[in-house]
Amino acid sequence: MESSIDTLPRWNMQVVYPGLDSAEFEASFQEMVQAIDRLGTFFDEQAIMLRETSLPITPSTAATFEQALEQINILGRHIHLLDSYITSFTTTDSRDMLAQSRCSQLQKQQVRFSQIQTRFTAWIGSLEDVEALIAASAPAREHAHALRRAVIEATHLMSPAEEALAVELRLTGGSAWAKLYHNFTSQITAEVALPTGPQRLPMTAIRNLAFDPDRKVRQAGYEAEIAAWKANALPIAASLNSLKGEMLALSRKRGWDSPLDVALFYNAIDRETLEAMMRTSREAFPEFRRYLKAKARALGVPRLAWYDLFAPVGKSQKQWSFEEARVFIIEQFGTYSDALADLARRAFEERWIDAGPRDGKRGGAFCMWLRNDESRILANYQSAYGGMGTLAHELGHAYHNLRRAPYTYIQRRTPMTLAETASTFCETIVREAALAHADRLEQLAIIEASLQDTLQVVVDITSRFIFENQLFEKRQNQELSTEEFSEIMLQAQRDTYADGLDGDLLHPYMWAVKPHYYDSTFYNFPYMFGQLFSLGLYARYRDDPEAFKRSYDTLLSNTGMASAADLAAAFGFDLRSPDFWRDSLRTVSDDIDRFEQLVDGA
């Protein structure tokens, strides 16, 4: 039986506070403000800031460090809880003005906390010998990874006054440009020449036409979308020019060689690892083009156009109600471990999930850590395999959060490169089980949906990476026009998709479509890393399940306390070696083989 949207569960947030207008929430918020005040006073009294001369490691220095660390960890958790609680309202009802007001109030306090954390980093960088501190202090040893990274980060800080100003100006600089982009693009509409007649639709609905089984509908949506982006490109280009210009200026001022080096540092990998992954991915491009050509055969066209990338292939007869998905996920998670199944069971029973689509709710899906070992999952559940797969993916994030629960706020920080490890792994468990129970047409639909996703993560991500590299290179000298942005994007698509797509029907405005360019720097390659790393782990799990299980939970627990290379080494992986990435991509080749057999055997 198909789930009704009205009966799908909503998450329970009253276990935290009765409401945003409650006395309990207000008291907690004011307690947070006062804690920031006290911490700022403590930092002033102890002169925790950039020092002109190195500070020797004495019992007094160690005691100051431990007090500051404890307060930052406690306050960080408190601010995170408030942020997650407010987010639970803003993402499920964008018209909630009280939630939007609370969000704005919290952002101002987060700026203050960020300035304090920058002072702490600068102070750590001023220590005479951080290794001596690690030897002298148990809390320092527990946070050794973060301390060693802080020493490096401190070498890339501007003066205290400049750093404080940069954080404050961010609200009216880069954040304001990003806000303009999101607000402006969310209001774009266009008329689509549908076979049933012209219809004016919002951009989100136009882009969803790419999934329509009717090629004429997909083409009409594509043509309307391109025209709409072209007509609205000027303010979007202004946002992108300003954001990347700001990043270039700050990177240069902080002594980084390039914005890419900033992204690599905060994602906890080095250039050698990135280059090995990107080089090996390029080697696999012919395989992905083989998939695209097989999809063209399945659709009965000589070559895929851009608007065919997400066209459905095969047909899933199975309608997964939310209840059926719940039972199936718990059962399949149980084939891996009782702990994973228990986590999923708890998420359903304790109402961690806001499942149904509704007006004013954010699209897509995400999982956020709430407090201790609790998470909250937002979904827009559809009664199909894709809805179940997404749910399994987000529950994987929740399991990752569970494994990190015993650790401090600082220890829990996970780079994006490692954030997709458990989610992709759990999604793969459910996908393999669903395939085992599927008929031929449903297998085709499931494998094709998976290949669509991997194509985006490997091939399209590479095009986005190429685009952003070129953008930063050219932006050093001047602002770019909308035409220049589009030409760089088209060339990046030609370099990656090649003859897998019709070269006359690409998407020159993907720079305007993807919000990642406006939210962070090089918000692309970490996705590729995360998926391929997880596929490599899954391959190891299939080879030796019991040995894998003994190490996997430890890896998830330590994602904020070790580099990606060190964590991978526990499984015998060398991330700087192309062989690791080839092994991960081999699973994709197997899927393409299977896809071709299903297509050509039709």
Side-chain angles (χ1 to χ4, degrees):
M1 183 175 67
E2 188 168 343
S3 305
S4 165
I5 290 174
D6 294 333
T7 62
L8 289 172
R10 300 188 183 189
W11 50 33
N12 178 18
M13 301 305 296
Q14 290 191 331
V15 296
V16 185
Y17 305 108
L20 285 167
D21 56 354
S22 67
E24 291 87 344
F25 176 85
E26 181 62 27
S28 182
F29 194 95
Q30 293 306 319
E31 180 185 342
M32 176 267 298
V33 173
Q34 293 164 13
I36 295 175
D37 290 340
R38 290 194 299 273
L39 186 55
T41 299
F42 174 76
F43 270 49
D44 290 340
E45 292 173 346
Q46 300 298 322
I48 301 177
M49 61 185 70
L50 181 67
R51 308 288 287 258
E52 292 185 1
T53 57
S54 297
L55 189 65
I57 306 304
T58 65
S60 175
T61 305
T64 298
F65 163 77
E66 291 175 4
Q67 291 177 63
L69 178 71
E70 181 181 21
Q71 291 182 62
I72 287 173
N73 275 325
I74 292 171
L75 183 54
R77 277 180 174 261
H78 191 167
I79 292 174
H80 177 87
L81 176 61
L82 290 168
D83 188 23
S84 297
Y85 184 74
I86 293 169
T87 298
S88 75
F89 291 90
T90 58
T91 56
T92 52
D93 183 4
S94 62
R95 298 181 181 86
D96 189 331
M97 291 300 101
L98 176 59
Q100 297 292 353
S101 175
R102 290 297 199 184
C103 179
S104 179
Q105 293 167 10
L106 181 61
Q107 284 177 335
K108 291 185 177 180
Q109 301 306 320
Q110 288 171 317
V111 165
R112 297 175 63 209
F113 185 53
S114 177
Q115 291 170 334
I116 288 174
Q117 292 182 91
T118 299
R119 288 178 61 178
F120 191 50
T121 298
W123 183 77
I124 291 171
S126 300
L127 297 178
E128 192 172 84
D129 184 357
V130 75
E131 295 301 329
L133 175 64
I134 292 170
S137 164
R141 285 193 292 279
E142 293 166 359
H143 292 78
H145 178 66
L147 282 173
R148 290 172 180 133
R149 286 180 58 79
V151 170
I152 298 170
E153 187 177 2
T155 66
H156 293 285
L157 291 177
M158 300 180 289
S159 71
E162 288 172 320
E163 285 293 345
L165 182 61
V167 173
E168 191 170 342
L169 288 178
R170 179 74 181 165
L171 289 176
T172 53
S175 293
W177 283 110
K179 186 176 182 179
L180 170 66
Y181 166 80
H182 289 293
N183 289 340
F184 180 75
T185 56
S186 70
Q187 297 176 30
I188 294 175
T189 63
E191 188 171 280
V192 187
L194 293 170
T196 55
Q199 188 175 354
R200 180 161 288 275
L201 297 171
M203 183 57 79
T204 51
I206 294 171
R207 286 189 53 73
N208 278 343
L209 296 176
F211 297 89
D212 197 280
D214 188 334
R215 196 172 198 233
K216 291 181 179 178
V217 172
R218 298 197 302 272
Q219 182 178 358
Y222 165 82
E223 290 171 352
E225 181 190 349
I226 296 296
W229 289 121
K230 183 177 181 179
N232 291 279
L234 191 62
I236 302 174
S239 297
L240 192 55
N241 270 312
S242 299
L243 282 160
K244 300 312 180 187
E246 179 188 75
M247 186 62 199
L248 280 165
L250 288 173
S251 299
R252 184 169 56 250
K253 185 68 176 176
R254 288 175 174 142
W256 294 99
D257 289 337
S258 72
L260 178 57
D261 289 295
V262 180
L264 288 169
F265 175 77
Y266 287 107
N267 280 286
I269 64 172
D270 56 23
R271 275 186 179 265
E272 192 176 352
T273 297
L274 176 67
E275 288 167 2
M277 179 182 73
M278 298 299 288
R279 184 170 62 253
T280 310
S281 295
R282 281 183 173 277
E283 291 175 4
F285 283 2
E287 288 292 282
F288 285 100
R289 292 165 195 155
R290 180 163 65 94
Y291 151 64
L292 291 171
K293 292 171 184 177
K295 181 166 184 174
R297 295 197 299 275
L299 295 176
V301 297
R303 184 174 296 178
L304 296 182
W306 187 273
Y307 52 79
D308 294 319
L309 279 172
F310 300 104
V313 174
K315 187 173 182 181
S316 176
Q317 302 294 334
K318 172 72 174 175
Q319 294 295 306
W320 293 90
S321 71
F322 187 82
E323 175 60 20
E324 288 171 324
R326 181 190 70 81
V327 172
F328 190 78
I329 288 171
I330 292 173
E331 178 183 345
Q332 299 310 320
F333 279 10
T335 64
Y336 175 77
S337 74
D338 290 340
L340 184 57
D342 289 344
L343 176 279
R345 188 176 295 108
R346 182 182 172 198
F348 287 110
E349 291 175 354
E350 296 182 10
R351 292 171 52 202
W352 289 8
I353 304 167
D354 193 293
R358 57 186 182 273
D359 187 33
K361 182 178 176 180
R362 171 178 163 170
F366 67 78
C367 175
M368 63 179 176
W369 167 46
L370 180 66
R371 60 182 179 179
N372 301 324
D373 60 355
E374 288 182 61
S375 296
R376 290 296 184 270
I377 292 169
L378 180 142
N380 284 274
Y381 191 80
Q382 299 295 328
S383 297
Y385 167 76
M388 182 179 67
T390 297
L391 205 54
H393 181 99
E394 301 306 334
L395 284 164
H397 283 299
Y399 185 71
H400 193 174
N401 292 336
L402 172 72
R403 297 268 62 93
R404 295 183 298 160
Y407 300 100
T408 67
Y409 170 75
I410 289 176
Q411 289 172 325
R412 289 185 69 131
R413 292 174 180 168
T414 293
M416 187 182 163
T417 40
L418 297 171
E420 296 296 324
T421 303
S423 54
T424 304
F425 185 85
C426 287
E427 186 178 357
T428 305
I429 290 174
V430 168
R431 189 198 80 140
E432 292 300 307
L435 280 171
H437 292 79
D439 61 22
R440 178 191 157 278
L441 283 178
E442 191 169 358
Q443 285 181 40
L444 187 58
I446 292 171
I447 292 174
E448 208 281 318
S450 178
L451 287 172
Q452 271 186 34
D453 181 61
T454 309
L455 177 83
Q456 290 296 299
V457 169
V458 178
V459 179
D460 203 68
I461 284 291
T462 302
S463 75
R464 296 183 222 172
F465 179 79
I466 292 170
F467 171 83
E468 195 158 2
N469 253 334
Q470 289 290 308
L471 167 55
F472 274 121
E473 183 178 327
K474 293 179 181 296
R475 184 63 184 84
Q476 291 183 73
N477 301 315
Q478 64 183 58
E479 290 189 348
L480 282 75
S481 67
T482 58
E483 292 78 12
E484 287 172 310
F485 282 135
S486 293
E487 184 49 44
I488 297 171
M489 179 56 75
L490 283 173
Q491 189 57 52
Q493 291 169 359
R494 294 184 195 109
D495 290 344
T496 49
Y497 288 97
D499 64 349
L501 292 180
D502 186 332
D504 294 326
L505 291 169
L506 299 175
H507 198 313
Y509 291 97
M510 285 306 291
W511 59 268
V513 174
K514 290 298 179 183
H516 291 173
Y517 295 123
Y518 305 83
D519 290 333
S520 188
T521 299
F522 287 101
Y523 196 169
N524 40 58
F525 71 79
Y527 273 108
M528 185 193 300
F529 182 101
Q531 178 143 344
L532 296 182
F533 183 60
S534 188
L535 288 175
L537 289 172
Y538 190 80
R540 181 59 57 89
Y541 165 59
R542 286 191 305 185
D543 291 342
D544 192 346
E546 294 310 312
F548 177 87
K549 291 176 186 180
R550 287 194 292 271
S551 302
Y552 184 58
D553 282 357
T554 300
L555 181 149
L556 295 179
S557 299
N558 292 339
T559 52
M561 296 186 290
S563 69
D566 289 343
L567 291 171
F571 290 87
F573 297 154
D574 180 2
L575 298 182
R576 299 181 181 91
S577 168
D579 289 340
F580 168 74
W581 304 106
R582 289 190 186 110
D583 288 342
S584 297
L585 285 160
R586 194 167 292 122
T587 63
V588 180
S589 293
D590 292 342
D591 279 348
I592 295 171
D593 290 340
R594 191 170 180 180
F595 178 72
E596 279 196 312
Q597 291 167 7
L598 289 166
V599 167
D600 297 334

